[in-house]
Amino acid sequence: LSVEPRDMQASVVLFEHGLTREALRGVRFVPATRLSQPDRTVAAWLYGRCGDTYRAAVLSRRLAQAPRDELEDPVIIELAYPRPYAADVLDAAARYAVPVELVYAVMREESNFNPLAVSPRYARGLMQMISPTAVRLAREAAMPFRARNLFRPEVSIELGVRYLAQLMTLFHGRLEAVAAAYHAGERNVGQWLARYPELPPDELIEAIPFLSTRQYVQKVLSSYGVYRILYGTAAEQAIGIAHAPRAEPVPTLVVDGR
């Protein structure tokens, strides 16, 4: 049993008349499993326009998994690869010299843009920081720290980008090593690099002994590449491993001050 098109149409009309809460209430009333593909796109668009980046990304993620030569809808692509919290991301990325696209790629794979996400290992927030790492980073930055503050986007972004910067320095800008270390720890990655010092990035990824880390690195680098293609200055830069951050601002795609 699928949703009648008028159900989504009603929410669109409410949104167009400025009734954001009512529009969200209408779309949330309908189970996602009952949405046809066109209606799923409409629902994702509504969530995105109303500032709910997390639900927009969840709904559009499957739609964006179509083969690239079949995926031509820019609305779906931008919903699946959004750039929320742009002011905080841009500021932290510039101060720590971390590629903006890498920050968003990690955020996408870690929390799917859910600021309240909690993993089975009790990693928290947008950048999924665990308390021991977050405490160390906060101390280095002279920031007051409480675990619940990791649910605040600006705190999670600040600490997550700071950690990415440290990993970029430690592994000389090798993004495959940075992503692997973010997931599995610096010690493991150091051991793998010592064991396979001559392997190029793609072969090193295949040599990662942890399946979950190997898949994570592949997803992060894939998302990084898509972000570079969508928002970068040159599409061919998306396939490079080393990358210097750009200075131009990144406009946000969400509303309501997010």
Side-chain angles (χ1 to χ4, degrees):
L1 185 63
S2 63
V3 177
E4 293 293 329
R6 63 175 178 271
D7 294 337
M8 288 295 101
Q9 290 279 345
S11 291
V12 172
V13 170
L14 288 170
F15 173 78
E16 289 176 341
H17 284 78
L19 301 173
T20 301
R21 291 185 180 179
E22 290 76 6
L24 283 175
R25 189 177 298 117
V27 73
R28 287 173 180 167
F29 181 76
V30 180
T33 54
R34 291 179 53 196
L35 294 172
S36 65
Q37 179 166 323
D39 287 336
R40 181 180 286 263
T41 303
V42 173
W45 179 85
L46 277 168
Y47 279 128
R49 292 295 293 167
C50 293
D52 193 335
T53 309
Y54 167 60
R55 287 185 173 86
V58 168
L59 282 174
S60 58
R61 198 174 184 108
R62 182 180 300 176
L63 298 174
Q65 289 175 347
R68 289 189 181 182
D69 57 349
E70 298 177 11
L71 186 58
E72 299 178 352
D73 191 336
V75 173
I76 293 176
I77 297 173
E78 291 189 0
L79 287 170
Y81 295 90
R83 294 176 294 178
Y85 312 106
D88 292 318
V89 171
L90 180 63
D91 175 65
R95 283 187 287 106
Y96 291 114
V98 173
V100 171
E101 298 89 347
L102 178 62
V103 179
Y104 279 125
V106 170
M107 190 186 298
R108 183 176 190 267
E109 302 310 323
E110 286 287 348
S111 68
N112 211 9
F113 310 104
N114 180 5
L116 302 180
V118 180
S119 78
R121 296 180 59 227
Y122 297 102
R124 298 174 173 90
L126 286 171
M127 301 297 285
Q128 288 291 277
M129 304 296 297
I130 59 175
S131 288
T133 303
V135 168
R136 173 179 65 80
L137 293 166
R139 185 183 301 116
E140 292 172 355
M143 291 175 56
F145 177 79
R146 292 184 179 180
R148 66 172 179 266
N149 288 345
L150 291 174
F151 295 122
R152 293 169 52 189
E154 68 275 15
V155 173
S156 185
I157 291 167
E158 176 71 22
L159 297 181
V161 175
R162 184 180 181 88
Y163 186 40
L164 284 172
Q166 293 180 355
L167 296 176
M168 291 280 288
T169 299
L170 181 62
F171 296 113
H172 308 289
R174 295 186 58 171
L175 296 192
E176 80 284 4
V178 170
Y182 200 96
H183 187 266
E186 305 98 305
R187 181 176 301 179
N188 282 322
V189 175
Q191 292 174 350
W192 301 335
L193 289 172
R195 188 180 308 161
Y196 308 111
E198 304 299 328
L199 287 185
D202 55 341
E203 294 183 24
L204 178 65
I205 293 170
E206 292 302 321
I208 294 174
F210 303 155
L211 176 61
S212 60
T213 300
R214 186 162 66 247
Q215 293 175 337
Y216 173 84
V217 173
Q218 291 168 339
K219 290 177 180 177
V220 167
L221 294 186
S222 175
S223 291
Y224 170 82
V226 173
Y227 273 107
R228 290 288 291 159
I229 290 172
L230 290 179
Y231 308 114
T233 56
E236 63 268 22
Q237 293 175 341
I239 61 174
I241 293 299
H243 166 60
R246 301 194 318 275
E248 66 265 23
V250 180
T252 182
L253 297 179
V254 296
V255 295
D256 296 342
R258 297 280 300 277

